[in-house]
Amino acid sequence: MSDRPAAATARAHSNIALIKYWGKRDAALNLPAVGSISIALDALYTDTRVTFVPAMTADKVEIGGRQVDGARFTRFLDLIRAQSGRRSYARVESWNNFPTGAGLASSASGFAALALAGTHAAGLDLSPRELSILARQGSGSAARSVFGGFAEMHRGEAADGTDAFAEPLLGADEWPLDVIVAVTDKASKSVNSTLGMSQLAERSDFYGAWVEHAEGDLADMRSAIAARDFGMLGALAEMSCLKMHGLMLSTRPGLLYWNAATVASMHAVRTLRSNGVEVYFTIDAGPQVKAICQPADSERVAATLAQVPGVLETRRSGLGPAAYRVD
Ligand code: PMV
């Protein structure tokens, strides 16, 4: 057993995928069927404190001060216990500075923060890649939240998932972009991503085409990022979002994450664009719309989205840093 302290706190930022991940090649190890490329969001983050307490008889997990069902977290903490040799149960206290489970990628920032805080509390000092592999087993998108700026998640080929990790592509300050989040519903979504993705190959006729074209989309996005070509990045991001939602809609039973304000916000983004403002939308497994633009345009984009009927609030974010310890 290590002599490190048994408690640690970490902050990880949420991220949104520009090229989307949807579908698993191995559900038990949480291996993605496709790679993905994302940007970290400075304004949305999770702080998590993990304390291993020898006297406890079960893990205890609180999000925002409310105790939650610990099963998914215990499975994740078991991975840390297996790697570290630490046997005690843990108290996990987590705070999101945004609504949980509503399509704002709380599982991405949550499991990245838990991976970093949990491993340090257990006396482990993992490399960013090892941390990304661990975080992936909590939530696929969490593998990307280990890194800041632009990150790419590799689907990998290995059966054991050792090559399914994220890597940084570009730092947050190397190409400043803004994201305006239009919140259209603060409730938790009814079909979470794990459920929505389960047995997708049998449940959607579009799945084969989705997987087949993923590598090409990733290569195009890598080129757009390398060239700092914002028009290309935005067009690809909007395309990947709509393609993923097409796949979701084609799943039996159809997954429809949008509400009226989601669709109105998408139209508002396209109207802005036809009026000369370079802005593109993306949407995850929820009703919130994220509009991606260059910093000079973000005030106008935020003001426009705030006027859309059904938009409850807007949040403006630049690109965020990698996960880090705060204790
Ligand atoms: O990481 P998960 O299991 O919450 O899945 C994330 C799926 C999407 O947010 C819809 C897309 C993505 O790549 O983040």
Side-chain angles (χ1 to χ4, degrees):
M1 179 73 65
S2 146
D3 58 1
R4 280 171 182 266
T9 307
R11 174 172 293 181
H13 288 259
S14 171
N15 74 75
I16 49 159
L18 302 174
I19 298 295
K20 301 292 188 190
Y21 146 58
W22 195 252
K24 300 181 199 284
R25 66 181 173 90
D26 182 310
L29 285 174
N30 206 26
L31 298 175
V34 295
S36 51
I37 293 178
S38 63
I39 44 180
L41 301 180
D42 199 34
L44 304 181
Y45 56 81
T46 302
D47 285 339
T48 297
R49 179 163 182 81
V50 177
T51 314
F52 285 97
V53 185
M56 282 171 68
T57 54
D59 294 318
K60 190 173 165 209
V61 182
E62 283 181 4
I63 300 179
R66 293 196 12 212
Q67 197 165 337
V68 297
D69 172 23
R72 186 176 179 188
F73 299 95
T74 287
R75 272 198 303 279
F76 190 78
L77 289 162
D78 282 345
L79 300 171
I80 295 174
R81 281 186 279 260
Q83 279 193 47
S84 65
R86 197 174 278 273
R87 283 203 298 274
S88 33
Y89 290 107
R91 182 164 60 240
V92 176
E93 297 153 289
S94 197
W95 300 268
N96 295 321
N97 76 334
F98 57 92
T100 303
L104 285 172
S106 55
S107 67
S109 51
F111 278 100
L114 180 58
L116 185 56
T119 51
H120 272 278
L124 291 168
D125 192 8
L126 301 188
S127 69
R129 179 172 296 184
E130 290 167 329
L131 212 52
S132 180
I133 288 173
L134 174 65
R136 184 209 74 226
Q137 293 171 77
S139 157
S141 52
R144 303 184 308 238
S145 269
V146 169
F147 302 100
F150 297 74
E152 175 167 6
M153 172 73 197
H154 303 287
R155 86 182 278 284
E157 300 295 332
D160 64 358
T162 45
D163 56 355
F165 49 79
E167 280 185 307
L169 286 176
L170 206 61
D173 50 356
E174 290 181 271
W175 190 13
L177 294 178
D178 274 359
V179 174
I180 312 301
V181 182
V183 178
T184 66
D185 190 349
K186 293 186 184 176
S188 287
K189 58 202 175 197
S190 51
V191 182
N192 69 25
S193 53
T194 305
L195 197 57
M197 287 186 216
S198 68
Q199 294 167 336
L200 198 53
E202 296 83 48
R203 291 166 61 214
S204 171
D205 300 338
F206 294 176
Y207 185 66
W210 165 255
V211 174
E212 186 187 337
H213 293 282
E215 282 306 316
D217 294 343
L218 290 163
D220 290 345
M221 184 56 84
R222 261 181 244 122
S223 306
I225 292 169
R228 312 283 202 280
D229 184 335
F230 184 66
M232 185 177 172
L233 174 145
L236 284 165
E238 219 174 89
M239 179 281 297
S240 178
C241 160
L242 291 171
K243 192 155 69 166
M244 178 183 75
H245 283 273
L247 175 69
M248 291 164 158
L249 290 166
S250 76
T251 303
R252 287 176 288 265
L255 295 167
L256 176 56
Y257 285 109
W258 304 343
N259 60 32
T262 313
V263 178
S265 300
M266 293 155 81
H267 284 297
V269 165
R270 289 198 162 177
T271 302
L272 271 171
R273 205 152 78 227
S274 61
N275 291 333
V277 182
E278 263 203 295
V279 54
Y280 300 85
F281 62 74
T282 189
I283 305 157
D284 289 325
Q288 332 300 358
V289 175
K290 292 102 176 183
I292 308 160
C293 63
Q294 295 174 100
D297 294 322
S298 65
E299 212 156 293
R300 180 155 174 207
V301 172
T304 302
L305 286 173
Q307 297 298 314
V308 172
V311 170
L312 306 174
E313 68 177 79
T314 58
R315 290 208 184 194
R316 196 166 144 181
S317 181
L319 301 192
Y324 58 98
R325 286 174 55 211
V326 291
D327 49 347

